[in-house]
């Protein structure tokens, strides 16, 4: 499946440390495309592992993570407004 993951980590209660750990975990599974946004192809089992790893650091009272799922990337229409910085484009 193809997912877009977006997170918002509170700066309260050791938030910078949580943000850093969450960023590193997401980067293991998905491509970093902008600030707190990741996307990429991922299996159901990998997504479950990602959720479990993130669960150790997310403060459910302060932080949020949203996952948008699609069967394939071709079903997702990506459009840029403003500065185009597509970190998922690997063509030279």
């Amino acid at each position: 499946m193809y997912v877009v993951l977006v997170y918002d980590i509170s700066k309260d209660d050791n938030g910078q440390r949580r943000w850093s750990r969450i960023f590193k975990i997401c980067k293991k599974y998905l491509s970093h495309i902008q600030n707190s946004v990741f996307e990429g192809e991922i299996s159901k089992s990998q997504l479950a592992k990602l959720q479990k790893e993130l669960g150790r650091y997310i403060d459910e009272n302060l932080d949020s993570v949203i996952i948008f799922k699609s069967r394939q990337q071709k079903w997702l229409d990506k459009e840029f407004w403003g500065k185009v910085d597509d970190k998922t484009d690997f063509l030279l």
Side-chain angles (χ1 to χ4, degrees):
M1 82 181 80
Y2 196 83
V3 300
V4 176
L5 181 145
V6 181
Y7 62 81
D8 188 16
I9 306 304
S10 173
K11 293 189 190 304
D12 296 342
D13 241 359
N14 211 11
Q16 182 61 39
R17 189 174 201 181
R18 286 194 323 276
W19 180 91
S20 178
R21 288 183 173 161
I22 289 168
F23 179 87
K24 288 176 185 177
I25 292 167
C26 291
K27 202 163 178 148
K28 285 184 354 185
Y29 293 91
L30 301 166
S31 298
H32 179 230
I33 60 167
Q34 185 180 36
N35 296 335
S36 298
V37 181
F38 290 80
E39 72 177 358
E41 197 70 40
I42 192 168
S43 69
K44 286 182 182 182
S45 62
Q46 287 175 317
L47 185 58
K49 286 174 63 176
L50 171 60
Q51 183 178 13
K52 185 176 181 178
E53 286 185 52
L54 290 179
R56 295 177 56 205
Y57 300 105
I58 294 169
D59 184 325
E60 292 184 6
N61 296 312
L62 299 172
D63 308 327
S64 67
V65 176
I66 301 170
I67 304 266
F68 298 93
K69 300 177 189 176
S70 179
R71 281 178 275 166
Q72 296 176 337
Q73 183 179 4
K74 71 180 183 178
W75 300 112
L76 183 68
D77 187 21
K78 186 176 7 177
E79 188 174 312
F80 287 94
W81 295 1
K83 181 183 174 195
V84 176
D85 189 16
D86 189 358
K87 295 179 181 178
T88 62
D89 185 8
F90 301 111
L91 299 177
L92 299 176

